[in-house]
Structure formats: C-alpha cells, structure tokens
C-alpha cells in the first residue's frame, strides 16, 4: 500500500499502539526493540492498520516504563539507535504506515541533564526555574509546599538535599523520578518546539501527547481543598484540578499546532497530534481539538463506559455531538498500556462507568487500572471484545488498537510481586499492583514461552502465561474464527467500504432494548446485541462480518454484525 497523502488521513485512521519493550525482542535481551518492530512491520501492514504509535523509545532509567525521558533527541540503547529508528520510519512509510511517537512534555526524568544541572544550582537560579522548585513550609521548611498528591501515590513533592543538608522541594505529579517542567519558563516552551521539529524533520508523522492536560498549573500552586470527612486533599483529576485541565494549557497546544502546520508543504504534509487527556465531560475534552489546537484526542469516556446498550449509546451520542461541535473526528479506543486488557475488563461483573444522556455518572467510575472485582469470565470477555471491536471500527472517526488486543490477550493478574515494575506498586505501599499486567510481551509463535517474542532461551522482562500458547499470532493466522482473523477482516472491510471512517451515523429505530443498530451511508449497518435475547437480522441484509456465528441470521447476546443493506 502506498502512503495515503490525503491531508485528512488522520480523520479516519486506525492507529496501532506499539509498546516497544513488549512488542518483539530481536537481540534477545528480554526487552523488545526497534529491530523487533521492523521485523514485524509486515504483520502490521497485513493486519490493515493505517498508522503505528510507538510509546516512548527515548533514553530513560525506566522508572515509569520510559515515560521518564532523560534525552528527548535520542533512542534508548536497550531499544536501538537513531539510525534504526530512521530505518523503521522509512520502512513503515514504504508499507503505507504513518508513524506517531510519544511526546512527554509534563515532566522529564530526574536523570535529564537539565534536571541534574538544576539540582546542582542554587535556589532561585535560572537552572532551577526550568522545573518547579519551591521552599518547604514550616520553620524548617520540612512540610511540602502544598498538599498535592502524586498520581502514583504519596506527595507530589520531593525534598532535595545539598551538601548533606535538606533543601528545596520539587514538584512531580507522577513518580519521584519524573520532575515537572516549568511551562511558565519560555526556555522550556522553546525547547519543546525544537524537539518537535527534530522528529518531524526525521519523518515522524505526528505525536501522541502524554498527559496533554497537565503542563499548566494553577497560578501560585495553591493547596487543594481538603475533604472534611477524610482530611484528604480533594483532587478531581478527570474533571479538572489545580494541575489538570487548567485553561492556559490550551495556549501550549496552540503553539504546537503552529509548529505541525508549518510542515504543510513538506512531502509528508502537515503533521498531527493526538492528545492523551483523561478529561470528562466530553465538552471539556473537545476544547483540546478545536481547529487551532490538537487534531484528535483519545476518547477515554468510551473506554471507561460500561458494556450496556444504554451507556454505550449515550457515550457515542455525547462524543459525536461534542466532537462535531468543534469539527474534530471522534476516536475510539478500547485499551492501552495503562488500562486493564479489554478481554478481562469486559469479563468482569462491573465493566465500566455508567453514562446517562448528560455524561458519566461519576459515582459509578471505579478507576482505569486493574481492580479485580468479583470473578472474571474470560470467555464472556473475549466474546464481548470481539463485538466491541466491530462496534469501534464501525463508528465515525478514527480508532486505536493496543498491541495484543487483536490476539484477544487478557490481563496477566498474577505476575510475581518481585517482578512488578509499575511505580504504583512501590508508591502505594504494595497495595495497588499497577499496570504491568497489560504490558506482558506479545506471543508470536510456537507453543512455549517466550512464544517468539525473542530467541528461545531469552526470558522476557515479564513472564507470559502458559494459556497464551493458544493465542499466538501464528496459531491464529489462517483460522477464520480467530480473534486475529476478525480484526483483519474488519480492517480490510473498513478500508474498502466508503461508509466507514469519518462521517456520521443514523440510529435505527425499532430495535429491542439491549440492541444497538445504526446505519451509515452508503448501505452499511452495524448491529450490536448487549443481550439477553437473540436478535433476528432484517430480511435481505447481507452479513459482511460477524463476531459470532450469524449462520442462523440472528445476533446472539454480546455479539455484533456488520451488514450490507
Ligand atoms: C500517561 C502514560 C502513562 C504514564 C503517565 C506519566 O498517562 O500513558 O503510562 O505513566 O502518563 O507520564
């Protein structure tokens, strides 16, 4: 496939997320690498996606899976070299695949040269002003400058020391090894413009912006209000707080848009952004994709939505209306490297948050991580995940596929504690296991671990469960009933069916409660049955693809079909 040069390619694109440490290990050190991704490019082209997003590949101490960047202009030696990255981008383009990479602008690693210089410099110095250093409170300055909690647990402030004496504190919204940049300092803003250009000039098609809602902080870094009952600071990160979704964050996004637009006349065209912003309600989120800001934004409301017809219909309506209001395409995403695998999530008694016609019922939101509740039914989860991908790929806009979801991989919930790497595990005092269970390396071939992830004698950085011998890409290839075959068929249909991708939908009236049915012109219909009763297909409709067995012309509970009408 030649590269799609339509300047609007991103409005309909299906983007495959590669988590590089866990994708394919060519050199046998147990960690995935760029040569491994290059080896599997044909697989991705054959799968039928339009673009690849590679999670951070920069030099990093890996305190947060590479989201702690120590050099924004290089490749982690564990993953490869800049030259290999260039080869990867060239080959991907030859196969018609666009390439997005991650930008982590809220924080760097504490091992970044500028942070090291800031630590060595005096309070009040220009070096310190690149980050958020403050004096502590209290007579000895031993109380943190404010009461903000870190996302991974504990305080968001860490005290420094110099010459054996305690000093200033620095802000880290995430891990202690992830100091926040000071975006009020123009040097920081200029540096990130230069980083964008560095990669755009190397042929990168766009960036996924990590925590795009967090760079701007409330002026003066004020304390959060305290809950009178618990004494804990109240931090509503989804709806906005002193360090999330501050209005002036949009100035930064507008600045980046001018950088990406300045490439409009280049061979690859203007470059694009997708924002990672866990922001609800969706009208707040839509501000991130106004026409002079970012291009698209992950639709986490839909990811967090429970598996019921009513909630799904509400979240779809809310999304399409809000994105339509700002002229941006919707995106649909079932999972990523931070969330419980979709097969497992949909197999749980509680599958997500409830959505009313007005938005998320915040009381019903139980968090994005792996929080097992009740017994998980993986068979049910896999069935629903098959239906869910047909729904996702039929909806207007673009879509994201997290690596391994096309194989129906489930969350690995019993990783040995001593192998857990997510900083959440340590910072929660070993009470929250964190996100490693969705980051277990891919099973490609064979019947024994490492299933072709790396050479036979190289144990992967996280162990794969025995049950994955049934789920390798090789084993699913050619089996028309496999998860992989369903993905391939749906992606192939999506490519050639003019009704799919960007556009609109019309809900079909007169379907029973529990069934969602919508039509897209010309002549396409998607039916999803959330159960419990089987739904008889309309007379004359041709089944294009079914998540279950549609030979009796009915759609069973937790199944979906695509129809030509
Ligand atoms: C984003 C990333 C997550 C990371 C965090 C801090 O949410 O997806 O993996 O831990 O940002 O960078």
């Amino acid at each position: 496939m030649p590269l799609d040069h339509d300047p609007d390619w991103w409005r309909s694109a299906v983007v495959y997320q590669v988590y590089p440490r866990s994708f394919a290990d060519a050199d046998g050190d147990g960690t995935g690498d760029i040569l491994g991704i290059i080896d599997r490019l044909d697989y991705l082209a054959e799968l039928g996606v339009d673009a690849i997003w590679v999670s951070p590949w920069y030099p990093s101490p890996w305190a947060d899976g590479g989201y702690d960047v120590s050099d924004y202009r290089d490749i982690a030696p564990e993953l490869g070299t800049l030259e290999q990255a260039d080869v990867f981008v060239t080959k991907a383009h030859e196969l018609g695949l666009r390439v997005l990479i991650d930008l982590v602008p809220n924080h760097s690693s504490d091992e970044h040269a500028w942070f090291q210089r800031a630590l060595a410099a005096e309070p009040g110095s220009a070096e310190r002003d690149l980050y958020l250093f403050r004096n502590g409170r209290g007579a000895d300055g031993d109380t943190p400058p404010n009461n903000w909690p870190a996302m991974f647990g504990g305080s968001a402030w860490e005290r420094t020391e110099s010459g054996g004496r305690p000093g200033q504190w620095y802000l880290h919204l995430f891990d202690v090894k992830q100091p926040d940049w000071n975006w009020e300092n123009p040097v920081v803003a200029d540096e990130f413009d230069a980083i964008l250009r560095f990669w755009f000039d190397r042929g990168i098609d766009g960036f996924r912006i990590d925590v795009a809602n967090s760079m701007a902080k409330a002026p003066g870094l004020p304390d959060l209000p305290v809950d009178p009952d618990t004494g804990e600071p109240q931090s509503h990160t989804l709806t906005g707080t002193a360090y999330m979704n501050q209005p002036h964050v949009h100035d930064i996004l507008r600045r980046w848009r001018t950088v990406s637009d300045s490439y409009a006349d280049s061979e690859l065209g203007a470059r694009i952004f997708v924002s990672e912003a866990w922001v609800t309600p969706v009208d707040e989120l839509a501000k991130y994709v106004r026409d002079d800001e970012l291009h698209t934004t992950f639709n986490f409301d839909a990811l967090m939505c429970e598996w019921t017809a009513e909630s799904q219909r509400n979240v779809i309506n809310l999304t399409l209306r809000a994105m339509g209001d700002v002229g941006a395409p919707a995106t649909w995403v079932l999972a990523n490297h931070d969330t419980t695998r979709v097969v497992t999530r949909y197999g749980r008694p509680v599958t997500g948050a409830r959505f009313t016609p007005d938005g998320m019922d915040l009381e019903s939101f139980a968090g994005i991580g792996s929080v097992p509740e009740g017994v998980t039914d993986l068979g049910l989860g896999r069935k629903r995940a098959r239906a869910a991908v047909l729904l996702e790929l039929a909806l207007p806009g673009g879509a994201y596929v997290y690596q391994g979801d096309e194989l129906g991989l489930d969350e690995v919930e019993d990783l040995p504690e001593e192998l857990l790497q997510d900083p959440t595990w340590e910072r929660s005092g070993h009470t929250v296991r964190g996100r490693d269970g969705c980051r277990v390396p891919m099973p490609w071939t064979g019947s024994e671990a490492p299933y072709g992830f790396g050479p036979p004698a190289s144990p992967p950085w996280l162990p794969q469960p025995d049950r994955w011998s049934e789920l390798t890409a090789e084993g699913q290839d050619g089996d028309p009933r496999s998860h992989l075959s369903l993905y391939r068929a749906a992606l192939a249909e999506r490519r050639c069916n003019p009704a799919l991708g960007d556009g609109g939908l019309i809900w079909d009236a007169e379907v029973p409660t529990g069934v969602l049915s919508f039509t897209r012109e010309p002549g396409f219909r998607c039916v999803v049955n959330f159960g419990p009763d089987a739904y008889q297909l309309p007379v004359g409709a041709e089944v294009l693809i079914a998540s279950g067995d549609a030979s009796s012309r009915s759609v069973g509970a937790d199944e979906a079909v695509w129809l030509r009408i």
Side-chain angles (χ1 to χ4, degrees), residues 17 19 53 55-56 64-68 102 104 106-107 151-152 174-175 178 208-211 276 278 300 336-338 368 422-423 435 439:
Q17 181 188 355
Y19 191 70
W53 148 39
S55 282
D64 180 23
Y67 284 92
D68 47 324
D102 235 294
V104 190
N106 179 65
H107 42 264
M151 303 292 282
F152 298 146
F174 291 86
D175 190 62
Q178 293 168 294
R208 176 258 192 197
I209 307 289
D210 190 64
V211 252
E276 186 223 21
W278 290 87
F300 291 127
N336 65 29
H337 65 289
D338 294 326
I368 63 168
D422 186 340
R435 303 160 291 177
R439 300 173 177 178

Side-chain angles (χ1 to χ4, degrees), residues 306-363:
E306 65 176 356
W307 183 253
T308 65
E310 197 191 352
S311 284
Q312 290 283 338
R313 185 184 168 118
N314 287 333
V315 84
I316 292 166
N317 282 337
L318 286 159
T319 304
L320 294 179
R321 205 255 314 127
M323 294 299 149
D325 283 353
V326 293
T331 66
W332 307 97
V333 51
L334 296 174
N336 65 29
H337 65 289
D338 294 326
T339 64
T340 307
R341 283 272 184 197
V342 63
V343 159
T344 303
R345 187 155 49 87
Y346 285 155
R348 289 191 175 148
V350 177
T351 51
R354 212 166 69 81
F355 278 77
T356 69
D358 298 325
M360 187 195 292
D361 169 3
L362 287 166
E363 295 291 306

Side-chain angles (χ1 to χ4, degrees), residues 96 142 148 284 296 347 361 381 390 409 411 493 557:
D142 54 6
W148 296 0
E284 269 305 298
T296 59
D361 169 3
L390 289 191
L409 300 186
E411 185 86 1
E493 179 65 30

Side-chain angles (χ1 to χ4, degrees), residues 485-521:
S485 296
L486 179 72
Y487 267 75
R488 283 182 179 155
L491 289 165
E493 179 65 30
R494 188 180 154 106
R495 283 220 158 151
C496 65
N497 193 321
L500 295 177
D502 199 16
L505 63 70
I506 297 164
W507 292 108
D508 302 315
E510 300 183 17
V511 287
T513 325
V515 173
L516 290 189
S517 175
F518 59 85
T519 298
R520 303 193 62 190
E521 295 301 344

